[in-house]
Amino acid sequence: MAKLLSVVGILAAIFVCGYYIGSQNKKIEYITKEVEVVKYVDKEKSAIYSASNITRDTAIRLLENNQF
């Protein structure tokens, strides 16, 4: 009986550790995607602002209309 309980306990501990490690990897992936989005937005903003004779209001209007 004691052996059975110890085996069940070990299996439960393995499952809990696996779940915990998996949830940590998910957070890292989310942060990585968020950083990629920020880099993309900065790149797009710099392309818009570098266009000739463009004001901030014009740039915002172009972004809202998905024309840039």
Side-chain angles (χ1 to χ4, degrees):
M1 184 69 169
K3 287 182 182 181
L4 179 63
L5 287 177
S6 62
V7 169
V8 170
I10 291 172
L11 288 176
I14 290 172
F15 285 124
V16 168
C17 289
Y19 177 79
Y20 180 71
I21 291 170
S23 66
Q24 283 183 337
N25 287 340
K26 187 176 181 181
K27 291 176 186 174
I28 291 171
E29 181 179 325
Y30 178 73
I31 291 171
T32 304
K33 286 182 180 180
E34 190 174 299
V35 168
E36 290 172 0
V37 168
V38 168
K39 287 180 183 177
Y40 176 75
V41 168
D42 288 340
K43 185 175 87 172
E44 290 299 314
K45 277 200 289 188
S46 65
I48 291 172
Y49 285 136
S50 67
S52 62
N53 297 328
I54 190 167
T55 63
R56 184 177 185 278
D57 294 332
T58 307
I60 291 173
R61 192 171 352 108
L62 287 173
L63 277 176
E64 288 174 350
N65 294 331
N66 292 327
Q67 293 178 350
F68 228 108

